[in-house]
Amino acid sequence: MSESKLAGQFFDAAIGLLERVRDEESARINEAGTVIADAVAAGHKLFAFGAGHSSLPAQDVVYRAGGLALMNFLAVPGTAGIDVMPATLGSALERVDGLAGAVLDSSPASDGDVLVIISLSGRNALPVEMAMNARAIGLKVIGVTSVAYATGTRSRHVSGTFLKDHCDIVLDSKIAVGDAELTHEGIEAPFAPASTVVTSAIMQAVMAAAAGELVARGVEPPLLRSGNVDGGHEWNGRVMQEYGDRIFFRH
């Protein structure tokens, strides 16, 4: 089998997952969009969190051309990517008890705000405690995770629970345990993960739903434009000035 056939198989697998999410999660995606629109209209704040590679879809909706200007990345030092050395430290930090509470306590998040938590497995202490602590202080929590992990793995949190057990809304990415879509003779490990593709699409779908809900209420969605088109910087400057009290990536 040629490499091109394997590449095509990956596209087919990713497209299949996207179609499943579209068909099976649409009601919950729209519900998540409504929760975000409610927060925007009521003057509350928006945050997204993910650790490791799950941070990528969270970062993709922050300071993003075509995205909501109010979405802020809730950073946990050492867990937001592979820039920490050694990279394995980031994975270790996801299992540390108490870290999520310390981060939330020092963040601007407060009662009535919305936090989107992305964790493929949803089994580590960090996302579980992030959701638990967020709800305890009055945040609405939207979880983006693979529900399959809750039956295919064991929780690493002392409670034995998963991220999905502590959310107001759960969006299921449908990713299989192990996050690898392909196998091939002569290749010992399964390969070609699709979680970033699918989860990023879920996040953008939620943002689109929120924008649609806002405009249906007569509220102009606070969207950013590309800085690489004429007038983009001026547009973004006006948006950031108007909503500056809820935008924290500028500070």
Side-chain angles (χ1 to χ4, degrees):
M1 182 178 291
S2 68
E3 290 179 356
S4 61
K5 288 185 178 180
L6 286 174
Q9 287 179 7
F10 174 75
F11 279 115
D12 290 342
I15 290 167
L17 285 163
L18 289 169
E19 289 177 338
R20 277 193 65 196
V21 169
R22 179 197 62 196
D23 296 341
E24 298 173 19
E25 298 297 303
S26 60
R28 284 177 287 275
I29 287 171
N30 287 327
E31 184 182 356
T34 297
V35 166
I36 288 175
D38 288 342
V40 172
H44 294 301
K45 303 179 289 292
L46 306 176
F47 300 90
F49 165 76
H53 287 92
S54 289
S55 73
L56 299 177
Q59 293 180 55
D60 191 47
V61 293
V62 177
Y63 189 47
R64 189 71 163 87
L68 287 174
L70 305 191
M71 186 59 72
N72 300 279
F73 185 64
L74 185 63
V76 178
T79 70
I82 58 171
D83 56 331
V84 61
M85 292 296 176
T88 50
L89 176 60
S91 297
L93 288 172
E94 292 184 57
R95 305 174 192 178
V96 174
D97 295 331
L99 185 56
V103 168
L104 277 171
D105 287 345
S106 62
S107 80
S110 59
D111 183 30
D113 295 343
V114 176
L115 173 60
V116 183
I117 301 176
I118 302 169
S119 174
L120 178 62
S121 72
R123 68 190 294 231
N124 289 313
L126 186 54
V128 172
E129 291 186 358
M130 188 70 77
M132 294 172 69
N133 282 276
R135 292 180 91 186
I137 62 174
L139 273 68
K140 288 281 188 180
V141 176
I142 299 168
V144 186
T145 187
S146 169
V147 173
Y149 276 81
T151 55
T153 67
R154 287 188 292 182
S155 171
R156 288 186 174 131
H157 188 251
V158 64
S159 68
T161 60
F162 288 76
L163 169 61
K164 73 174 187 64
D165 300 314
H166 305 283
C167 299
D168 297 285
I169 301 171
V170 175
L171 305 178
D172 184 5
S173 64
K174 316 293 181 182
I175 300 294
V177 175
D179 192 19
E181 295 301 317
L182 302 182
T183 58
H184 182 57
E185 184 178 354
I187 301 177
E188 294 298 321
F191 58 102
S195 61
T196 303
V197 172
V198 175
T199 306
S200 292
I202 290 172
M203 292 297 290
Q204 295 298 345
V206 170
M207 297 304 108
E213 179 64 24
L214 284 167
V215 77
R217 301 180 189 186
V219 178
E220 182 179 354
L223 298 170
L224 295 173
R225 291 179 180 263
S226 171
N228 294 313
V229 299
D230 292 342
H233 286 298
E234 292 77 12
W235 171 282
N236 293 341
R238 288 192 298 270
V239 171
M240 289 185 182
Q241 182 174 14
E242 181 176 353
Y243 294 95
D245 60 330
R246 290 186 270 170
I247 297 173
F248 304 103
F249 52 78
R250 300 176 67 223
H251 301 166

